[in-house]
Amino acid sequence: MPFTNRLHPVRLWNKVKKKSLFCEFKQRLFFKISLEGNDFLTAGNKSMNTAPPPLMVKLSNEHQGFIFEPNALKSVDLLVEHSGGKVSKALEKAIKQGEIKSTEDKGDDT
């Protein structure tokens, strides 16, 4: 399935200011995308139902590290140092708007 069917702007504001979009924050546009297992290349042919194989994800030349964090509230804290905190603040707004759902933090790091 093409990504265009799974890419959606994230509502950050109830009321939009003039010359601005509801998914815009600090001159950045925010989107969410639904990913599926076959969207990733893996090192090897292991099933995704076993121990996860290393995923090969390249976001850009600038961004080389990446983790999947199911707890969106924890992600807010992890992103504070990125881009002067703008991304962290935008994610926090998206959570408050109900645009991003978070798993419950079970208190363990597994």
Side-chain angles (χ1 to χ4, degrees), residues 43-71:
N45 294 324
K46 291 183 179 179
S47 166
M48 293 297 278
N49 293 329
T50 62
L55 293 175
M56 295 182 282
V57 177
K58 183 171 182 176
L59 301 176
S60 70
N61 289 334
E62 179 186 350
H63 298 93
Q64 311 234 338
F66 187 84
I67 62 170
F68 288 96
E69 174 53 59
N71 185 326

Side-chain angles (χ1 to χ4, degrees), residues 24-109:
E24 184 178 352
F25 182 71
K26 301 283 185 178
Q27 298 180 334
R28 289 169 170 79
L29 301 177
F30 290 87
F31 294 84
K32 60 184 174 182
I33 188 166
S34 298
L35 298 174
E36 299 168 357
N38 60 357
D39 290 328
F40 299 95
L41 296 174
T42 59
N45 294 324
K46 291 183 179 179
S47 166
M48 293 297 278
N49 293 329
T50 62
L55 293 175
M56 295 182 282
V57 177
K58 183 171 182 176
L59 301 176
S60 70
N61 289 334
E62 179 186 350
H63 298 93
Q64 311 234 338
F66 187 84
I67 62 170
F68 288 96
E69 174 53 59
N71 185 326
L73 294 173
K74 186 174 179 183
S75 294
V76 170
D77 293 334
L78 293 171
L79 291 168
V80 167
E81 298 296 321
H82 180 68
S83 297
K86 295 174 185 83
V87 175
S88 178
K89 290 175 186 170
L91 179 56
E92 192 170 36
K93 288 180 175 297
I95 293 168
K96 287 181 181 176
Q97 289 289 337
E99 289 284 309
I100 305 292
K101 305 290 186 230
S102 181
T103 62
E104 292 293 320
D105 185 6
K106 296 187 176 24
D108 61 27
D109 292 323

